[in-house]
Amino acid sequence: MTLLLFAAVCCAAPVGNAISAYVALKTGAQDDGGIAEGGSAADIPPRMLTAYKKAVQQVGKYVPKCQDMRWPILAGIAKVESNHAVGRNIADNGDIRPKIYGVLLNGSGAGGNTTSFPDTDGGKWDGTSQGERAVGPFQFMPSTWESTGEDGNGDKVADPHNADDAALGAAIYLCGGGRDLTKRAQLSAAILQYNHSSEYVANVLGWIEQYTAAAKDPDLKNVSGKARAVIEAALSQRGVPYSWGGGNAKGPSSGFCCSPSGKSGASIKGFDCSGLTQYAYAKAGIRLPRTAAAQAGVGRRIPASLGTEALKPGDLVFYATAPGRDSTIYHVGIYLGGGQMVNAARPGTVVRLDAVDAMSGYAGGARLL
């Protein structure tokens, strides 16, 4: 039984250097919500995304010299700090309830805090006079908020528990005295203010990169026929969770246990890599076998030696532990053009756009269209 289960799935070996993130969909919907607008991200509540975009429009009033503040930067921070306040109620005016509080920073070790921070706000923002705790979707310290916070929703109150106010405050804080955020070093320095950790900076930068990619529509103007049908079907599933063993020609489905890293798809409705390709190609009337290695035997094989330049939109893209030996293929994606593919990468991610070189062991492609 174990061998049969293993044979039914793909994406079972090396992963690339892309940092996982939930990225956007332009069309389609999910069971647990909807998407506010094109370029949004599947895990961002629409009202939070609106707050990020409003903050970008307003920050120039407070930091005129700041360059290239973008909503994906704010989204990257908020993803790590509060998961975009997911699970809270976000009112039309931006108020978030229940309020988001971090652990009490009293040096107890709870939540990883080892330094005591004395109270500065009398509990005004963090609900306690026994010390400090970070507040709101951007997890501001009360003392930082007092010097940075601004009114983003026009109610004449700067409240870190309000989405508009918090996003604007974060934009101002990240801009500093007028950073040029087009420069990687200055963007990293801005993020470092939040947490003086290189791991934290790398994590946030990864989310920013993924949200930036999500905000861009792939150019399909020269793609038509069945290739377009395949690509549009795959793109419609952006934001759907990865599920080990999940997905088929009919759409996302629950998977099973377990991936080599021990991740189960049994409670996740979604796709693994070959489940996604099965679904997308079914929309063009093409039936694919279940595993990535088996899919490499369908259509005209495009050798890896020809490079990625030989790929055309709609082609399958393969990855192997030993390129040149198709029996070692562990992953498949759908080529979009411009060096990008639609990808169900691995457990913990969602269907998203990735660079073709985001996975290791490029093993060529296959043309079925």
Side-chain angles (χ1 to χ4, degrees):
M1 185 62 173
T2 301
L3 291 175
L4 289 174
L5 291 176
F6 187 84
V9 296
C10 69
C11 310
V15 296
N17 55 10
I19 297 177
S20 67
Y22 297 142
V23 297
L25 51 82
K26 283 286 184 179
T27 59
Q30 289 183 271
D31 292 342
D32 58 353
I35 304 305
E37 58 190 287
S40 68
D43 67 330
I44 302 178
R47 186 60 182 84
M48 291 301 294
L49 182 64
T50 296
Y52 304 157
K53 292 184 176 182
K54 283 179 62 177
V56 171
Q57 296 171 347
Q58 294 174 317
V59 70
K61 174 183 175 181
Y62 301 94
V63 193
K65 294 183 179 180
C66 184
Q67 296 184 51
D68 200 43
M69 174 53 68
R70 298 168 282 121
W71 75 257
I73 294 175
L74 298 175
I77 293 286
K79 174 64 182 178
V80 174
E81 294 295 336
S82 71
N83 192 28
H84 307 298
V86 169
R88 261 68 175 184
N89 178 63
I90 308 170
D92 289 344
N93 72 346
D95 285 343
I96 298 170
R97 298 294 183 272
K99 296 178 179 180
I100 302 172
Y101 296 116
V103 298
L104 183 63
L105 300 174
N106 58 4
S108 67
N113 88 91
T114 57
T115 303
S116 178
F117 288 82
D119 176 65
T120 64
D121 69 334
K124 177 182 179 181
W125 299 124
D126 63 6
T128 179
S129 60
Q130 302 305 306
E132 294 282 82
R133 52 183 181 176
V135 297
F138 284 88
Q139 289 291 277
F140 276 99
M141 293 287 283
S143 57
T144 304
W145 181 253
E146 287 298 333
S147 62
T148 305
E150 295 289 349
D151 172 22
N153 69 347
D155 65 357
K156 303 187 185 305
V157 176
D159 183 351
H161 298 286
N162 177 276
D164 295 330
D165 297 356
L168 178 57
I172 294 169
Y173 187 57
L174 292 164
C175 279
R179 289 190 174 95
D180 182 354
L181 300 176
T182 63
K183 297 179 178 178
R184 184 84 166 193
Q186 292 194 38
L187 177 58
S188 296
I191 298 168
L192 204 60
Q193 293 179 113
Y194 258 91
N195 189 319
H196 205 75
S197 158
S198 58
E199 182 179 358
Y200 178 87
V201 172
N203 191 14
V204 172
L205 285 172
W207 288 103
I208 291 171
E209 289 167 0
Q210 292 293 340
Y211 287 134
T212 298
K216 298 177 181 177
D217 243 353
D219 182 4
L220 300 180
K221 63 184 179 183
N222 295 320
V223 182
S224 60
K226 289 187 175 182
R228 190 180 187 97
V230 167
I231 290 172
E232 288 184 341
L235 289 174
S236 75
Q237 300 305 303
R238 281 185 288 178
V240 173
Y242 182 100
S243 175
W244 179 261
N248 52 48
K250 296 181 179 179
S253 66
S254 298
F256 45 76
C257 191
C258 276
S259 74
S261 61
K263 303 296 184 181
S264 174
S267 62
I268 302 172
K269 184 180 180 181
F271 291 101
D272 66 10
C273 64
S274 56
L276 177 65
T277 54
Q278 274 195 319
Y279 170 78
Y281 271 81
K283 294 300 182 182
I286 297 172
R287 185 174 181 176
L288 290 179
R290 185 58 179 86
T291 68
Q295 290 176 6
V298 179
R300 181 167 70 84
R301 198 73 164 85
I302 303 168
S305 59
L306 296 179
T308 57
E309 297 81 8
L311 296 171
K312 292 183 178 181
D315 287 347
L316 293 174
V317 185
F318 300 106
Y319 301 84
T321 56
R325 293 173 54 196
D326 282 1
S327 61
T328 69
I329 286 175
Y330 70 89
H331 190 78
V332 61
I334 299 173
Y335 189 64
L336 281 176
Q340 287 191 310
M341 63 178 170
V342 187
N343 194 25
R346 59 186 181 275
T349 69
V350 297
V351 177
R352 66 193 193 192
L353 302 187
D354 270 332
V356 171
D357 61 5
M359 311 294 293
S360 61
Y362 175 64
R367 186 161 299 148
L368 290 74
L369 306 170

